[in-house]
Amino acid sequence: MSAFVLVAEDDAKQAELVRRYLRREDYSVLVVGDGRAAIDQVRSRRPDLLILDVMMPELDGLDVLRVLRRDYDVPILVVTARSAAEDKLAGFDLGADDYLTKPYDPRELMARVRSLLRRAKASGGSGASVVLPLHVGPLSLDQVRHEVRFDGHRIECTPAEFRILETLMSSPGRVFSRRQLLDEAHGPESFVTERTADAHVKNLRRKIEADPRNPVLLQTVYGVGYRIADRTPTSDG
C-alpha cells in the first residue's frame, strides 16, 4: 500500500503544488489548512508522514508539534519561511524530524519525504530474525516494538530521537560525533546542521535523565560528540 501523507499548509497554491508532487509518486494525500485540523487528522487517520507548515491559522506549526509529540511518533517534516538557525533548532527541539526552508525545490521536498518514510519503515518493520531489546542501566529500547522505557515507564520518542538512542545504546561507552548521529537520525543525504544533534540530545535528556542539566546516561564528550554511559544494572551490587 502507498504511504499516507498529511499536508498542513494554509497557502492554497503551495498546498496544491505539494499535493501534485506527492500524488505523482503515488502517495495518498490529505491537505488541511490549519493547525487544529492537522492535530485532528493525525489523531483520527494516523498518517505515515506529516508535512507541517509553521505559519498557519488557529494553531501554528510549533504548537502543533508540541501537542502531537506528547502522544505520537509520526515523522514530521517542518516547512517554513523562517530560516534563522534558532527557528530551526526550536523545531527540532519540539520533535521535528526534518526542516525545509521556503522557497524550496519540490524535488528536494520529495527527496526528504522519501528519506523519512524509508527510515520510518526500517525502524518499525518486522523481520524473521530475533532482535533483542537493548538495555543500559534503567534504560531499555525495543527495536521491534519501537519502544523506549526508563525504569519500566514508557518514554515517547520521535523517530529521529529513537534512532539516535538506538545508535548510542548499540555501543555503550562509544563516542559518536554529531554528524554520525545525524546520519543515523536523518540519513546521510540530509541537510541539517550539526547543532541539530544538540537539540535532539537536549530533548532526550529531558526524557531519560533525572536531572537533564547534570546528565548521567547521555554524556557529552566535549569537542567530539556524545555517548551512552557504559552502565549495567546493579542488582548484585
Side-chain angles (χ1 to χ4, degrees), residues 215-233:
V216 173
L217 280 171
L218 212 172
Q219 301 175 343
T220 300
V221 179
Y222 292 99
V224 184
Y226 297 101
R227 69 182 171 204
I228 282 285
D230 188 4
R231 289 179 22 154
T232 57

Side-chain angles (χ1 to χ4, degrees), residues 126-148:
S126 60
S129 60
V130 175
V131 181
L132 296 177
L134 302 172
H135 295 276
V136 177
L139 190 63
S140 67
L141 183 146
D142 191 318
Q143 296 155 299
V144 175
R145 294 175 180 268
H146 204 265
E147 185 175 273
V148 176

Side-chain angles (χ1 to χ4, degrees), residues 5-9 15 18-19 22 29-33 49-51:
V5 181
L6 176 64
V7 180
E9 169 65 72
V18 173
R19 189 194 69 80
L22 289 167
V29 185
L30 175 65
V31 176
V32 296
L49 173 71
L50 170 60
I51 299 175

Side-chain angles (χ1 to χ4, degrees), residues 37-119:
I39 292 172
D40 290 343
Q41 290 299 324
V42 169
R43 287 172 171 167
S44 62
R45 300 283 298 274
R46 301 296 180 91
D48 297 297
L49 173 71
L50 170 60
I51 299 175
L52 179 65
D53 185 34
V54 170
M55 302 298 292
M56 289 190 299
E58 298 292 333
L59 208 62
D60 73 18
L62 296 183
D63 285 331
V64 172
L65 264 174
R66 190 176 290 108
V67 171
L68 291 179
R69 282 308 184 221
R70 296 173 190 162
D71 301 300
Y72 302 97
D73 63 356
V74 56
I76 299 177
L77 169 59
V78 171
V79 178
T80 180
R82 297 176 179 174
S83 59
E86 289 74 17
D87 293 319
K88 293 182 180 180
L89 290 172
F92 284 119
D93 196 37
L94 289 171
D97 294 285
D98 204 351
Y99 197 109
L100 189 58
T101 303
K102 296 179 179 178
Y104 55 80
D105 186 332
R107 294 171 297 180
E108 181 181 351
L109 173 70
M110 296 311 302
R112 296 191 184 209
V113 166
R114 289 191 295 269
S115 177
L116 284 172
L117 288 172
R118 278 198 307 269
R119 299 184 74 79

Side-chain angles (χ1 to χ4, degrees), residues 73 123 133-169 203-209 217-218 228:
D73 63 356
S123 63
L134 302 172
H135 295 276
V136 177
L139 190 63
S140 67
L141 183 146
D142 191 318
Q143 296 155 299
V144 175
R145 294 175 180 268
H146 204 265
E147 185 175 273
V148 176
R149 290 184 177 273
F150 183 82
D151 276 340
H153 300 288
R154 182 166 180 172
I155 304 297
E156 294 295 337
C157 293
T158 69
E161 292 166 2
F162 184 91
R163 288 189 290 270
I164 286 176
L165 205 53
E166 180 182 21
T167 300
L168 292 167
M169 291 180 67
N203 229 20
L204 280 167
R205 282 174 171 163
R206 289 175 183 160
K207 301 174 181 181
I208 68 171
E209 297 283 0
L217 280 171
L218 212 172
I228 282 285

